[in-house]
Amino acid sequence: LKMNSSLVGNQSGRPFCLLAISYLETINFCLLEVVIIVFLMVLIISGNIIVIFVFHCAPLLNHHTTSYFIQTMAYADLLVGVSCLVPSLSLLHYPIVLSESLVCQIFGYVVSVLKSVSMASLACISIDRYIAITKPLTYNTLVTPWRLRICILVIWLYSCLVFLPSFHWGKPGYHGDVFQWCANSWNTDPYFTLFIVVMLYAPAAFIVCFTYFNIFRICQQHTKEINERRVRFSSQDGEAGEAQPCPDKRYAMVLFRITSVFYILWLPYIIYFLLESSNVYSNRVASFLTTWLAISNSFCNCVIYSLSNSV
């Protein structure tokens, strides 16, 4: 019924809007969608430009190997913000040279690839910290700048390839549903959804859970051993020893917060994607809100960086 009413409304000259409350008789575009997308676009672009600028101007931030992956995520998030210009112009009825179906497919593919780059980068960050804590003596020989660059290149190539079948197989997500063709004619395929889950979502989530669980377990064990030795030596000297937190754990906590916020914001989107693909639940408002909640993570990363690092 909602789909039919939207089509009828569009035929009567009204704009195609996913949020019913966004249409006003006095204007001929989707007000609420435009406000949300433009607001997020400005925050994402400005925030990530600042992050990239600070990384290039503050050499202290490049001491950690994870800075390679964080900068990769910042560039990917910046491109997400730039790509948001496409649906905002479409909602404002700005004339586009290419057909709506092609624009919607390209936009959905690009945002999906950038999402995959962020997800894979977070998994690589967790692996990097796991190696640093489990093999501290050989870490510098195992993790070199050259290998990190190769890893980043593989992340981008893999992300481009894993979503490439979407042009013929089915919708990779709901990033393009602000376009009428995407919402009405480009359907999700349960087999393609399973393919993405197996090739991207599940491995990335498993790696993150496995590595951080072991990181915190090892750090807790190290902290306990260090404090026991400190208490033993201080008792011999007659001084009270204070418990000292593990520095690796403190740094891992910062990265864990970034990863946690990412999955918290993307979880509603992933759940809705699975429900809609399996024909269990479908709702255009839920599609729009979960999609742009997930995309807002591209700005949240900037906030976490600034709150977690005094530089």
Side-chain angles (χ1 to χ4, degrees):
L1 290 176
K2 288 182 180 179
M3 183 178 294
N4 291 335
S5 63
S6 297
L7 291 172
V8 171
N10 193 266
Q11 292 172 355
S12 64
R14 294 185 178 184
F16 172 74
C17 301
L18 292 172
L19 304 179
I21 58 175
S22 61
Y23 177 74
L24 297 177
E25 295 291 341
T26 55
I27 58 177
N28 193 35
F29 62 88
C30 306
L31 177 63
L32 190 54
E33 283 98 327
V34 171
V35 170
I36 292 174
I37 294 175
V38 172
F39 179 69
L40 284 177
M41 181 179 67
V42 172
L43 288 180
I44 292 170
I45 292 176
S46 58
N48 284 285
I49 286 177
I50 292 172
V51 169
I52 293 169
F53 174 78
V54 170
F55 263 105
H56 283 284
C57 296
L60 288 175
L61 290 175
N62 292 317
H63 285 178
H64 289 288
T65 54
T66 50
S67 66
Y68 285 84
F69 296 112
I70 292 176
Q71 289 182 71
T72 300
M73 290 175 60
Y75 280 107
D77 290 337
L78 176 62
L79 291 175
V80 169
V82 173
S83 66
C84 291
L85 185 64
V86 176
S88 60
L89 290 177
S90 174
L91 290 169
L92 289 170
H93 292 182
Y94 190 85
I96 299 176
V97 178
L98 301 175
S99 64
E100 186 184 44
S101 60
L102 183 60
V103 172
C104 128
Q105 285 182 313
I106 292 175
F107 175 73
Y109 171 77
V110 168
V111 178
S112 297
V113 168
L114 297 174
K115 166 194 67 178
S116 175
V117 169
S118 296
M119 194 173 292
S121 296
L122 289 171
C124 288
I125 287 174
S126 66
I127 294 173
D128 174 82
R129 290 299 88 199
Y130 179 76
I131 296 174
I133 290 177
T134 56
K135 299 181 179 180
L137 299 179
T138 58
Y139 174 77
N140 290 330
T141 58
L142 291 173
V143 182
T144 61
W146 182 81
R147 289 180 178 176
L148 288 172
R149 293 187 183 98
I150 294 296
C151 183
I152 291 170
L153 178 62
V154 170
I155 287 174
W156 280 96
L157 289 176
Y158 182 80
S159 300
C160 290
L161 291 174
V162 77
F163 283 101
L164 197 58
S166 63
F167 288 98
H168 299 286
W169 205 344
K171 189 188 300 184
Y174 302 95
H175 314 294
D177 276 3
V178 291
F179 302 99
Q180 186 171 1
W181 186 88
C182 271
N184 295 336
S185 304
W186 200 20
N187 299 319
T188 55
D189 187 285
Y191 294 105
F192 184 53
T193 301
L194 180 63
F195 173 77
I196 294 175
V197 169
V198 172
M199 299 299 292
L200 180 63
Y201 295 157
F206 174 78
I207 289 171
V208 166
C209 292
F210 174 81
T211 51
Y212 279 114
F213 173 80
N214 284 282
I215 285 171
F216 292 130
R217 182 179 59 83
I218 294 170
C219 282
Q220 188 176 13
Q221 183 180 353
H222 287 177
T223 303
K224 183 179 179 181
E225 293 174 356
I226 292 171
N227 290 334
E228 286 177 352
R229 293 178 184 177
R230 188 180 297 274
V231 170
R232 185 166 62 251
F233 286 121
S234 61
S235 62
Q236 294 175 358
D237 297 334
E239 298 178 357
E242 297 181 358
Q244 297 292 329
C246 176
D248 287 330
K249 183 178 181 180
R250 185 168 58 251
Y251 186 62
M253 278 299 298
V254 174
L255 301 172
F256 180 71
R257 291 190 196 105
I258 296 173
T259 307
S260 299
V261 170
F262 178 90
Y263 279 98
I264 288 171
L265 293 177
W266 278 98
L267 186 61
Y269 168 86
I270 294 173
I271 291 175
Y272 178 79
F273 184 52
L274 296 175
L275 291 176
E276 203 278 341
S277 300
S278 56
N279 296 321
V280 174
Y281 177 74
S282 179
N283 183 279
R284 287 184 174 176
V285 176
S287 166
F288 181 87
L289 294 179
T290 55
T291 296
W292 293 95
L293 175 66
I295 290 178
S296 69
N297 174 78
S298 297
F299 171 71
C300 293
N301 287 337
C302 305
V303 178
I304 298 172
Y305 299 152
S306 60
L307 293 178
S308 304
N309 197 313
S310 59
V311 177

